Amino acid sequence: MKKLIAVLLAGAMCASLAACGSKAEEPAEAPAETEAPAEAETPVEDDAQEPAEDAEASGSEASGEFTTVTEGVLTMGTNATFPPYEFYDGDVIVGIDAEIAQLLAEKLGLTLEIQDMDFTAIVTSVQAGKIDIGLAGMTVTEERLENVNFTDSYATGVQVIIVKEGSEIASVDDLEGKLIGVQEGTTGHSYCSDDYGEENVVAYANGATAVQNLVSGSVDCVVIDQQPAISFVEANEGLKILDTEYVIEDYAAAISKDNEGLMNALNAALKELIADGSIQEILDKYIKAE
Ligand code: ARG
C-alpha cells in the first residue's frame, strides 16, 4: 500500500469533487511550482488567440488568454479503450472524458477535436505540443508530473483486481507469484511491476486484451481501474472483481508545462462545471451507483 501514499500526495491538490468545488478562488494547481513566476507573467502576445466572443464563459476566468495547437480548437488526446471514460459508439468516441472535454471546450469558446492514440503516447504528445490536453482517465502521478502539468482533479479512480470466479486469489495479499495482466503504461502496470516484480506482469495494449487473456487463462488476474473493470466483467462470463481495492487515485487532464494560460483557463472552467453540478451529472450518467 506504499504506492497509495505517493499517489495521494501527488494528487493532494484535490482529493474529492466536493473539495474541488468548494473554493472557487483557491489556487489549487498542484504543479504550480514547476513554472518560474517570471515566465508565468510573460504575455504570449505573438500567438495568443482570442477565445470566441460568444463563449459561454464570458465574464468567467475561463476566458483568459491562452493558446492551443490549432486556433479555435481544443485538441484532446485519449485512448478510447477505457469505458465508461472513453470508448467507441460506432465510430464516435464517447464517454465521461469526451463529455467533460466538450463542456470545457465550450467554456473556452473552442471546438473539441478528439485524437485516439496509444495510452503511452498521450503524455509525450502533450509534451511535444501535438495535442492540447490528455484526457484519458489519467491518474496524477509524480512520474508524469515530471513531464506534464495536471489540471485539478475531476474524478477519483480505484485500481482493482479482476479474477476468474473460483480463483484462489481472494485479495491483494494473494498476488505474490501470480501472473498479472495490465494495460501497458498505466499506473496498474507500474504498481504491479514495483510490488510483484516485472517478471510477474504481462502488459497488453489495452484493458480488453488483458481481460481476454484472463479469460483464456494466460494470466491469473488483471489489475485495472474500477469502472473499466466493471464494464469488462459485464461483457465477459465467469469473471469477478475482488472487494479489496489496490490503490486509490485522482484523475486529471494533462497539459503542457509551457501552456500555463490554457491550464488556468481549464481549471477555471472546471471549477465552474464542478460548482454547477455538470461534472457530477456526467459521472452519474455513466457510473451506476452501487
Ligand atoms: N488511470 C490509469 C493511469 O492513469 C489508467 C488509465 C488508462 N486510460 C485509458 N484511456 N486507457 O495510468
Side-chain angles (χ1 to χ4, degrees), residues 28-178:
E29 298 84 353
E33 77 278 1
T34 55
E35 286 288 344
E39 201 183 324
E41 300 305 338
T42 311
V44 278
E45 269 146 18
D46 282 347
D47 44 14
Q49 65 185 63
E50 300 279 340
E53 276 309 322
D54 60 352
E56 211 189 305
S58 59
S60 82
E61 288 173 74
S63 56
E65 283 201 357
F66 55 82
T67 58
T68 55
V69 174
T70 305
E71 197 173 329
V73 176
L74 182 68
T75 307
M76 158 184 162
T78 197
N79 171 249
T81 65
F82 203 67
Y85 292 93
E86 42 269 331
F87 56 102
Y88 279 93
D89 179 9
D91 51 13
V92 181
I93 296 174
V94 297
I96 293 170
D97 289 335
E99 291 205 21
I100 290 177
Q102 179 59 41
L103 293 186
L104 288 172
E106 281 168 21
K107 285 263 179 208
L108 270 56
L110 302 170
T111 307
L112 178 66
E113 207 176 278
I114 302 180
Q115 284 182 18
D116 193 13
M117 55 185 71
D118 287 345
F119 184 70
T120 50
I122 298 174
V123 165
T124 47
S125 297
V126 167
Q127 217 178 350
K130 291 185 187 153
I131 56 176
D132 296 309
I133 57 169
L135 200 56
M138 192 183 285
T139 306
V140 180
T141 68
E142 275 170 29
E143 201 186 333
R144 290 174 185 156
L145 279 167
E146 284 172 17
N147 298 312
V148 289
N149 277 341
F150 279 97
T151 60
D152 296 339
S153 178
Y154 62 91
T156 299
V158 183
Q159 294 296 313
V160 298
I161 301 153
I162 310 176
V163 294
K164 275 189 177 175
E165 271 162 18
S167 166
E168 61 179 33
I169 302 172
S171 86
V172 64
D173 302 325
D174 302 329
L175 290 185
E176 209 71 55
K178 294 288 186 296

Side-chain angles (χ1 to χ4, degrees), residues 202-231:
V202 187
Y204 298 98
N206 57 63
T209 309
V211 168
Q212 286 317 317
N213 279 275
L214 171 61
V215 171
S216 68
S218 305
V219 291
D220 299 312
C221 65
V222 167
V223 168
I224 194 163
D225 304 52
Q226 183 174 46
Q227 293 305 323
I230 291 171
S231 304

Side-chain angles (χ1 to χ4, degrees), residues 3-4 6-8 10 82 119-120 123 136-145 150 157-160 180-196 201 223-226 246-251:
K3 293 298 171 308
L4 169 59
V7 171
L8 283 179
F82 203 67
F119 184 70
T120 50
V123 165
M138 192 183 285
T139 306
V140 180
T141 68
E142 275 170 29
E143 201 186 333
R144 290 174 185 156
L145 279 167
F150 279 97
V158 183
Q159 294 296 313
V160 298
I180 307 169
V182 296
Q183 179 178 7
E184 189 180 7
T186 59
T187 48
H189 186 184
S190 61
Y191 301 147
C192 290
S193 303
D194 288 354
D195 290 350
Y196 303 103
V201 178
V223 168
I224 194 163
D225 304 52
Q226 183 174 46
Y246 181 29
V247 183
I248 298 172
E249 310 173 314
D250 286 318
Y251 291 168

